[in-house]
Amino acid sequence: MNIPLTIKTQNISCCAPAPEPTTSCCGPVEDTQKESLPKETPFKLNKSYPVAILGAGPVGLAAAAHLSLANEAFIVLEKGAEVAENIKSWQHVRLFSPWQYNVDKAAKQLLLKSSWTMPEEDLLPTGQEIREAYLQPIANLPEIKPFISFNTTVVGISKKNHDKMKSANRESAPFVLYTEQNGETKRILASAVIDATGTWATPNPVHADNVWTSAEQKLTDKIFYGIPNVEALKERYTGKRIAVIGGGHSAINTILELEKLEDVEITWILRKKRVEDAYGGEEKDALAARGELGSRIHTLVDNGKVKVFTPFYIEELKQTSAGIIIKGEGVTGEQRLPEVDEIIANTGSRPDFSFLKEIRLSIDGAVESIEALAPLIDPNEHSCGTVRPHGELELRHPETGFYIVGMKSYGRAPTFLMATGYEQVRSVVAYLTGDIEAARKVELDLPETGVCSLDLNSNSTSNCC
């Protein structure tokens, strides 16, 4: 799962020794390239149209706050009926990162003018607290509320009177967004577009080849994608045989919560070579709560309370009268696992580009992130959020004025930083409003150690990266 991870290093690399010339893998980088960048003409927004922001989550609302302070017109298009609709599905989870790293500076500036009280900076909020104590107050600000359109799905974006192939006068043409709201299709013209829709709503399938099959799609009522609120779903899981799929801390937390239920049989399916690889640093972890998470699952496995199959690569799902059959490749070759009643999939998520087919994008073919970010965040090369501060320049697409920010900018990479998303939109808005110097001055103030998410309810934890 892609819940915010915040990282900072000082004198050492947070993940691996850095090649010469040495830099901190997560802290500010001494960027000599910026000095040699040619001067460019400031971007000019077409004042006849607003900037369209897709998604009313943390990063989308931060973009709205920055545009409001810059006195630029904007509109926020949110698919859900409420602010940060996606967070509602994991609102029971508590973040590892404290409040001070989850609040955007521009949003905070607007909120403090409205008599809002900043939560204690060192406390760890739940997803629900992020929504209710921070995001909903932003959405209710008089500078923001009139410009949010809920229940609005963007089904396509193009340039007015231009298909993807047409180049003549393309840059001067406004964007046109086709939306559906309450069964009615509307066209909205925009001077620029900031896509902050995230990836949470598009989870990966359970198959090792990452391909959706009709068999899996037919089992949607038996498969939960993400982090279930086990307490709220007690009737669904009590007395059941449950397969938890995934090798990250989201899967571990799910197992720890399921184990509290009565008469539950848990099967844990991972692709890791050894189950020990999922335990992490345990007592050596810089984050005590995260270390405890590894220690607790280690104990459950050693005590035989969890059946572990690893490495196991799922190739087929099939519903039978005896339960769901999971077939795949294990240590001994082709293998069929014992039948289960339910599946909980913690297999990550992916970006949705389906409504951007007429926009000229620069997307990495493997990571599916912004192309310039891919070498910095590729999970094949990086074990944590080893990404230097970046902004508008790295987020550019061939389509002038179009930006993908936030979690979606990372594509399939799981280590997105919420604070990084805030800095992205600060830089993008600075550029759109003509302040190139501010757009280039990209800095991040992050904690000294990796932080993901933590569920402190009943002393359980969850690192969702």
Side-chain angles (χ1 to χ4, degrees), residues 118-422:
M118 172 74 184
E120 292 186 40
E121 291 191 347
D122 58 346
L123 294 182
L124 304 177
T126 63
Q128 182 175 355
E129 290 166 345
I130 289 286
R131 287 186 71 250
E132 296 179 356
Y134 172 55
L135 298 177
Q136 287 178 347
I138 295 175
N140 288 328
L141 288 170
E143 299 93 336
I144 306 291
K145 185 175 181 178
F147 310 108
I148 301 180
S149 178
F150 291 106
N151 297 310
T152 303
T153 301
V154 178
V155 296
I157 304 178
S158 187
K159 299 299 290 285
K160 186 180 179 183
N161 297 331
H162 288 65
D163 62 27
K164 193 174 186 176
M165 292 287 292
K166 188 175 181 179
S167 298
N169 303 316
R170 188 176 187 86
E171 287 195 11
S172 62
F175 290 91
V176 56
L177 293 83
Y178 284 78
T179 68
E180 291 184 357
Q181 184 182 46
N182 301 322
E184 182 180 356
T185 300
K186 297 181 179 179
R187 295 169 75 251
I188 297 174
L189 297 180
S191 58
V193 176
I194 299 176
D195 181 352
T197 54
T199 63
W200 186 250
T202 49
N204 289 324
V206 302
H207 283 70
D209 302 322
N210 222 355
V211 173
W212 284 102
T213 65
S214 59
E216 180 173 351
Q217 292 170 333
K218 290 177 181 177
L219 288 170
T220 52
D221 61 333
K222 298 291 184 180
I223 303 177
F224 188 101
Y225 297 91
I227 306 176
N229 186 338
V230 173
E231 179 64 27
L233 298 173
K234 186 181 298 185
E235 292 186 8
R236 174 172 178 172
Y237 294 124
T238 297
K240 298 292 182 63
R241 302 164 295 175
I242 305 169
V244 178
I245 303 171
H249 291 83
S250 297
I252 292 175
N253 181 71
T254 297
I255 292 170
L256 294 175
E257 293 301 310
L258 287 172
E259 195 270 334
K260 298 175 184 177
L261 301 180
E262 295 180 6
D263 191 26
V264 171
E265 187 177 305
I266 304 172
T267 299
W268 188 13
I269 304 172
L270 310 85
R271 300 174 191 170
K272 296 182 182 295
K273 292 183 178 180
R274 306 179 313 136
V275 67
E276 290 81 6
D277 294 338
Y279 299 155
E282 298 192 63
E283 70 277 358
K284 297 179 182 179
D285 198 307
L287 290 174
R290 188 170 60 188
E292 181 191 357
L293 186 67
S295 297
R296 290 175 61 201
I297 192 67
H298 193 166
T299 300
L300 283 182
V301 172
D302 286 351
N303 291 342
K305 294 187 177 181
V306 178
K307 298 178 183 178
V308 178
F309 294 91
T310 194
F312 190 88
Y313 303 93
I314 297 175
E315 297 176 347
E316 182 182 353
L317 299 178
K318 185 177 181 180
Q319 178 72 68
T320 70
S321 58
I324 302 172
I325 295 175
I326 302 175
K327 294 182 180 180
E329 184 178 326
V331 178
T332 59
E334 294 299 316
Q335 191 174 355
R336 167 178 161 168
L337 304 186
E339 289 89 348
V340 297
D341 302 304
E342 293 272 354
I343 293 174
I344 297 175
N346 295 129
T347 50
S349 55
R350 60 177 71 181
D352 177 14
F353 299 117
S354 63
F355 59 95
L356 302 177
K357 293 184 182 296
E358 292 304 315
I359 296 296
R360 297 178 177 181
L361 302 177
S362 178
I363 301 298
D364 182 77
V367 184
E368 294 188 15
S369 68
I370 307 301
E371 193 167 22
L373 295 184
L376 307 174
I377 62 177
D378 187 345
N380 293 297
E381 305 293 336
H382 299 276
S383 58
C384 72
T386 56
V387 54
R388 66 175 173 82
H390 60 275
E392 184 276 335
L393 188 62
E394 292 84 353
L395 297 172
R396 286 186 187 180
H397 290 277
E399 201 75 85
T400 304
F402 181 88
Y403 297 92
I404 295 175
V405 299
M407 198 176 300
K408 188 172 180 177
S409 71
Y410 271 42
R412 297 194 188 192
T415 47
F416 170 68
L417 322 168
M418 184 182 286
T420 294
Y422 294 156

Side-chain angles (χ1 to χ4, degrees), residues 43-51 72-74 160 171-175 189-192 432:
F43 182 89
K44 290 186 179 180
L45 286 171
N46 186 332
K47 300 292 185 177
S48 300
Y49 312 109
V51 176
E72 293 291 349
F74 65 89
K160 186 180 179 183
E171 287 195 11
S172 62
F175 290 91
L189 297 180
S191 58
L432 291 177

